[in-house]
Amino acid sequence: SRKMASEDITKLAESLAKTKVGGGQLSFKGQSLKLNTAEDAEGVIKQIEEFDGLEALRLEGNTVGVEAAKVIAKALEKKSELKRCHWSDMFTGRLRSEIPPALISLGDALITAGAQLVELDLSDNAFGPDGVRGFEALLKSPACYTLQELKLNNCGMGIGGGKILAAALKECHRKSSAQGKPLALKIFVAGRNRLENDGATALAEAFGIIGTLEEVHMPQNGINHPGITALAQAFAINPLLKVINLNDNTFTEKGAVAMAETLKALRQIEVINFGDCLVRSKGAVAIADAVKEGLHKLKELNLSFCEIKRDAALTVAEAIEDKAELEKLDLNGNCLGEEGCEQLQEILEGFNMAAVLGSLRNCKCVVNVICNFQTLVQLKERGQGEQESLTPKKIIDSQDSTPVPSPPVDIATFLAFPSPEKLLRLGPKCSVLIAQQTDTSDVEKVVTTLLRISSVFKDEAPVKTAVHETTDALMRKAFTSATFNSDAFITSLLIHMGLLKSEEKIKAVPSLYGILMTLNHMVQQDYFPKSLAPVLSAFVTK
């Protein structure tokens, strides 16, 4: 994990050398362009046509109609080098019927151009099952034989869309394999799509055939144990898996036990997010066994709000004893009681791992609320004859009404135990508040805060945006402050990144990905002193 990913370094080096966006990227991100007619799109088309070596096109945060999509597509027909399509949130306010024809035009253009895509992001476009038909042909075409990242978060696909998507991925794998270059998808994101059991099972079949997945993010999809079990079986034949995020689905004991069996076979796992998944005590013990037996690269284990009772939670804590890479264990919102919380902390202190434990604020009071209430509440799982008891939150979810909001987070909690979810839950004012609460005359404080913020970086909205905005507010305040020593800041940062030795023993950050990507953004901003670029560049590229 100390290895610095060469592509991250290259990205940063390019940005240091030139402040404009490099890497063949043309961005219209967040410009709120309303492109209805061919005329509206003239400016966009001109820039696309004049951009030599276009590798990435960002259209997020605009709204593109059918006619505008057609003419933009025409311009893309000559862009054979295009690899990354960042096309999330680009149909705001459009009728559902407008989206499939727009996507078909754009997809056909990529096929005509002979593009070889690496990343396709269509998240936050509410296109429903019909929208999947809009890019089905693209997914089955040679343009997607090289696809590594497919992001379809919050698209309202439903079961129908999930099935169409699964069939298209299987067809893509079959056709690409016939040409001797099988589809090797690495990252799959499809949170908040109501895929349910049938959609998840169809996708599981595709995952089993693909076999190269490294990250799967499918939170909030209304998946119960049959779908979870199907996914578990598919994950077992994807040995490179590093991240599994199934937050806010309903495992119950059955699903948790199936998933635990799979975890025993996976050697590369770094992040397990089964928060809000109702794994219960039996499921938690099974997962603890899997963790204890292997998973030596584990960095994060989230089993929060899962109706886990005290003894099972303590078993989980005991299982992480030799996990040297572990940064975070989240058992908040379980049925531990005051005494259980203290015992949990004692166990981890005994391993000298108290720092990895997240807040237990919701563990003391929920014992009676949840653990007594669950015996009164039973909800029949969809299509299952058996009764499964569910928490009040799950009942609300299954009725498809507004979900209960997560408990509020304060800045101190986020900085003590950073996570993307916590950063987002801090709300829009978090960047200003963090900057206000940080003493910028204290270089170490600024470095520590920056590292905590950047540690939750994900290359997807809205986390990326939140990290950038929070970084900007903090560093703009620091660099414009008369009492801030920029040189001392760079020196300290390089020490914390493990690129510079220090007389004092300072533990380097476990992963450089977040800080590299954040620096890549920082050096392109007006507040970043140009005089510091050569120093940073010298260390990062050596």
Side-chain angles (χ1 to χ4, degrees), residues 31-78:
Q31 293 185 18
S32 302
L33 303 172
K34 290 183 174 56
L35 308 177
N36 298 316
T37 63
E39 204 177 348
D40 295 338
E42 273 174 9
V44 171
I45 293 161
K46 190 169 185 292
Q47 287 192 60
I48 291 172
E49 286 173 347
E50 290 174 0
F51 198 112
D52 289 334
L54 180 65
E55 291 182 17
L57 179 61
R58 306 200 82 106
L59 291 170
E60 312 103 304
N62 299 291
T63 179
V64 181
V66 178
E67 199 187 323
K70 272 185 186 162
V71 290
I72 290 170
K74 194 83 190 132
L76 290 175
E77 284 180 2
K78 296 184 178 68

Side-chain angles (χ1 to χ4, degrees), residues 370-417:
I370 292 181
C371 295
N372 295 338
F373 194 88
Q374 71 179 44
T375 57
L376 304 172
V377 179
Q378 291 203 310
L379 187 75
K380 211 171 195 181
E381 275 193 17
R382 181 184 294 268
Q384 298 299 311
E386 68 193 293
Q387 298 277 323
E388 297 267 2
S389 61
L390 301 175
T391 62
K393 180 174 185 317
K394 289 291 163 198
I395 292 164
I396 288 163
D397 270 4
S398 63
Q399 289 170 348
D400 226 355
S401 63
T402 315
V404 172
S406 302
V409 174
D410 57 32
I411 284 164
T413 308
F414 165 72
L415 291 174
F417 306 104

